[in-house]
Amino acid sequence: MELHEAQRQVDDFIRGHGGYWNKFQILARLTEELGEVSAAVQRAEGLRASVDPSQVNVADEIGDLLFTVAVLANVCGVSLDEALRGVLLKYAARDGG
Ligand SMILES: [Mg+2]
């Protein structure tokens, strides 16, 4: 899936489920989701106790984080395609490649 298509699908979902939160609510959710990714990776690596190892799903947590990044990008009017393209160009210029 292309990033712009992902943003469109996230937009459709959000508009169909009560609309966008304000930016500070989205930032709070982004922080929460990042913490969940961190916990899942630590559990998957055996660095944190897990009640049920089958419940550890790093991909699901990264999906939650990605969804929330798309929500923030939509609210801020940012194209994820352009943002990622821009950062890759910036890093290539800085680090070579
Ligand atoms: Mg999550």
Side-chain angles (χ1 to χ4, degrees), residues 20-54:
Y20 282 92
W21 313 305
N22 72 48
K23 290 176 184 173
F24 294 104
Q25 290 172 301
I26 296 168
L27 287 169
R29 181 63 64 89
L30 195 60
T31 301
E32 177 184 328
E33 296 298 350
L34 180 59
E36 291 175 3
V37 170
S38 176
V41 169
Q42 290 177 70
R43 286 189 177 100
E45 296 298 319
L47 301 172
R48 178 184 278 205
S50 180
V51 176
D52 180 356
S54 71

